[in-house]
C-alpha cells in the first residue's frame, strides 16, 4: 500500500477570512430549499444538482462538548460548511440506549442550530448493530420527523455502518421499517440508508433498491485504506442509477488514525466532485488521532485558529473554503 503524508505548508490566517465572494442569497438552504433525488443525483427546489460539503461530529456520548450552537455557527461561518452531521451514539457505553434523553437533546441542539444558520443537517443513528434496535430507531426517527419534518434542512441517516450482514434479509427490511415511520410525518426529506460492510458495498443495492423516491445510499471510505477498488464499486452503483451520499470519510486509514494519504484524499475529492456526491468529513473532535480535525483541548465552541487544527483539519477546511459558497 503506497501512502504519502500530507506535506503542504499552511499559513496562519485570520479564522474568519473569506476565500470566496459572498453570494446574494442568505443561506445555502434559502438558495436550494427542499432537496430531492432523481436518478443518481440530489437536486434542489429548482431541479439544479446540489453537492453539499461539511463536517461530521464525533460520537455524541464521547465528544458531546462540541454539540452546541456556537460550534455549528463557526463551522458555517468560518469553515463554510453547507452541512453538518450529528452522530448520535446508540449502543455503546453512555449512548442513546442507556441515556436517551441526554443524547437526543444533543442532537436536537445541533438540528436547531443548523436551522438557525440555514445549513443542512444529517441526523445519524450512529450504530454498527442498528437492526438490534429497530423499535428504538423507529421511535426516535418518528419523533424527529414530527418535530422537524416540515424543515427542508433535515436529512435522515438510518444506520451509520452495518457490518457484514445481508442487504436483502437484514438491512433493507430494517430501512423500510424505519422509513415507514418517517414518512407518516415527513413525505419529502431525503433518507440515507447504510450499506453492507461498513457502508462500502453500495453495489448490493443494484436491482433491489428501496421503494422510495428520496432515498440515497451510504458510502464511507478512509483514504489511506480504501482506494480505486472502492471507487469502482461506487461507480458501478452510480452507473445503475443509485444515488450515493458520503456521510463520513477520513483522510487516514480505516482506524481513524495512521498516515494521512493526501494524494488519495485529493483523488477521492475529484471523484466526488465529478459525480456531485455530497460529503461530511470525520470528525469534529480533539481526540488524539489523525482523523480528528482539532488538536487536544481545542475550544468546545469554535473560534479555532489554524494553530488549533490538525493536519487533517487544515486540509479539509481548506477544501471546504475553496469549493463551498461563502454566505
Amino acid at each position: 500500500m503506497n501512502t504519502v503524508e500530507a506535506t503542504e505548508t499552511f499559513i496562519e490566517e485570520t479564522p474568519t477570512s473569506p476565500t470566496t465572494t459572498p453570494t446574494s442569497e442568505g443561506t445555502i438552504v434559502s438558495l436550494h430549499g427542499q432537496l430531492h433525488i432523481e436518478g443518481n443525483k440530489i437536486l434542489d427546489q429548482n431541479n439544479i444538482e446540489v453537492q453539499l460539503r461539511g463536517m461530521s461530529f464525533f460520537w455524541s456520548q464521547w465528544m458531546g462538548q462540541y454539540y452546541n450552537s456556537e460550534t455549528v455557527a463557526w463551522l458555517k461561518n468560518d469553515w463554510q460548511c453547507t452541512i453538518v452531521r450529528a452522530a448520535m451514539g446508540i449502543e455503546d457505553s453512555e449512548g442513546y440506549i442507556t441515556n436517551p434523553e441526554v443524547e437526543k437533546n444533543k442532537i436536537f441542539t445541533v438540528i436547531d442550530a443548523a436551522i438557525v444558520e440555514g445549513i443542512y443537517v444529517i441526523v445519524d443513528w450512529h450504530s454498527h448493530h442498528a437492526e438490534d434496535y429497530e423499535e428504538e430507531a423507529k421511535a426516535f426517527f418518528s419523533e424527529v420527523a414530527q418535530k422537524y419534518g416540515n424543515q427542508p434542512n433535515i436529512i435522515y441517516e438510518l444506520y451509520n455502518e452495518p457490518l457484514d450482514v445481508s442487504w436483502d434479509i437484514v438491512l433493507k427490511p430494517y430501512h423500510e421499517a424505519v422509513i415507514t415511520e418517517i414518512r407518516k410525518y415527513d413525505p419529502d426529506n431525503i433518507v440515507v440508508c447504510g450499506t453492507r460492510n461498513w457502508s462500502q458495498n453500495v453495489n448490493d443495492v443494484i436491482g433491489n433498491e428501496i421503494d422510495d423516491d428520496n432515498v440515497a445510499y451510504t458510502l464511507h471510505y478512509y483514504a489511506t485504506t480504501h482506494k480505486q477498488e472502492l471507487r469502482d464499486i461506487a461507480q458501478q452503483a452510480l452507473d445503475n442509477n443509485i444515488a450515493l451520499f458520503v456521510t463520513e470519510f477520513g483522510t487516514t486509514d480505516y482506524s481513524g488514525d495512521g498516515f494521512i494519504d493526501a494524494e488519495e484524499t485529493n483523488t477521492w475529492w475529484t471523484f466526488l466532485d465529478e459525480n456531485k456526491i455530497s460529503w461530511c468529513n470525520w470528525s469534529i473532535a480533539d481526540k488524539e488521532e489523525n482523523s480528528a480535525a482539532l488538536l487536544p483541548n481545542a475550544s468546545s465552541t469554535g473560534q479555532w485558529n489554524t494553530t488549533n487544527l490538525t493536519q487533517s483539519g487544515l486540509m479539509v477546511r481548506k477544501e471546504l473554503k475553496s469549493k463551498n459558497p461563502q454566505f
Side-chain angles (χ1 to χ4, degrees):
M1 183 181 298
N2 294 320
T3 60
V4 296
E5 293 191 58
T7 57
E8 185 169 1
T9 299
F10 293 89
I11 299 172
E12 177 80 15
E13 62 180 72
T14 303
T16 54
S17 58
T19 59
T20 59
T21 303
T23 70
S24 59
E25 300 288 337
T27 67
I28 194 73
V29 173
S30 67
L31 178 63
H32 291 299
Q34 182 68 58
L35 305 178
H36 64 284
I37 293 172
E38 290 187 18
N40 64 10
K41 294 291 191 292
I42 295 176
L43 306 181
D44 74 359
Q45 60 192 355
N46 299 311
N47 292 318
I48 296 170
E49 290 183 2
V50 174
Q51 183 186 16
L52 303 171
R53 303 179 187 89
M55 293 300 298
S56 176
F57 289 84
F58 197 82
W59 299 73
S60 60
Q61 74 270 47
W62 292 318
M63 286 284 168
Q65 69 268 33
Y66 293 107
Y67 280 69
N68 57 68
S69 59
E70 293 87 353
T71 296
V72 173
W74 189 256
L75 289 171
K76 183 255 186 177
N77 293 320
D78 181 63
W79 290 49
Q80 293 172 214
C81 289
T82 54
I83 187 169
V84 292
R85 177 186 188 231
M88 187 173 71
I90 306 304
E91 69 270 27
D92 292 277
S93 61
E94 304 304 314
Y96 177 81
I97 299 303
T98 305
N99 291 311
E101 292 303 316
V102 171
E103 297 311 303
K104 182 173 65 177
N105 286 334
K106 294 174 187 175
I107 303 308
F108 289 171
T109 296
V110 171
I111 295 173
D112 290 339
I115 291 170
V116 168
E117 298 299 331
I119 62 176
Y120 293 93
V121 55
I122 297 172
V123 183
D124 165 34
W125 187 259
H126 203 75
S127 172
H128 299 305
H129 306 280
E131 67 273 17
D132 296 337
Y133 304 98
E134 181 177 308
E135 292 306 312
E136 291 89 343
K138 287 161 62 176
F140 170 74
F141 282 108
S142 174
E143 182 176 355
V144 174
Q146 290 177 72
K147 186 175 176 67
Y148 297 107
N150 63 337
Q151 301 287 343
N153 313 64
I154 303 298
I155 296 171
Y156 304 94
E157 183 179 5
L158 308 188
Y159 196 153
N160 166 49
E161 286 181 344
L163 303 183
D164 191 11
V165 294
S166 169
W167 171 257
D168 296 347
I169 298 172
V170 177
L171 299 180
K172 186 181 180 186
Y174 164 83
H175 289 310
E176 289 173 332
V178 180
I179 288 170
T180 296
E181 295 305 308
I182 291 171
R183 294 305 186 215
K184 290 178 181 178
Y185 310 102
D186 183 352
D188 300 317
N189 281 316
I190 289 172
V191 176
V192 185
C193 294
T195 55
R196 185 173 63 89
N197 191 26
W198 308 87
S199 286
Q200 293 173 57
N201 283 93
V202 291
N203 53 337
D204 286 354
V205 176
I206 297 169
N208 197 12
E209 298 92 331
I210 291 168
D211 185 17
D212 186 291
D213 289 339
N214 287 318
V215 165
Y217 299 89
T218 314
L219 176 68
H220 285 182
Y221 69 86
Y222 281 76
T224 304
T225 304
H226 308 117
K227 303 190 177 188
Q228 190 59 48
E229 183 178 1
L230 185 55
R231 287 190 290 273
D232 290 342
I233 290 172
Q235 189 62 58
Q236 183 184 0
L238 293 168
D239 291 345
N240 283 273
N241 242 16
I242 304 296
L244 304 180
F245 204 123
V246 175
T247 58
E248 176 183 324
F249 79 90
T251 61
T252 63
D253 69 29
Y254 70 92
S255 72
D257 210 359
F259 287 117
I260 291 174
D261 192 332
E263 182 177 348
E264 273 298 314
T265 295
N266 283 305
T267 300
W268 269 108
W269 279 333
T270 298
F271 176 80
L272 300 181
D273 289 348
E274 288 173 345
N275 291 285
K276 294 286 187 182
I277 297 174
S278 297
W279 55 258
C280 285
N281 173 251
W282 184 262
S283 64
I284 293 298
D286 67 348
K287 185 180 180 182
E288 289 193 39
E289 64 178 14
N290 286 339
S291 63
L294 307 174
L295 290 170
N297 301 313
S299 165
S300 63
T301 55
Q303 307 298 319
W304 309 305
N305 291 304
T306 52
T307 53
N308 303 129
L309 306 183
T310 63
Q311 184 178 347
S312 183
L314 290 165
M315 288 172 60
V316 175
R317 178 177 177 269
K318 181 179 179 182
E319 180 76 2
L320 290 165
K321 289 175 75 66
S322 68
K323 292 183 177 175
N324 279 352
Q326 170 78 28
F327 289 97

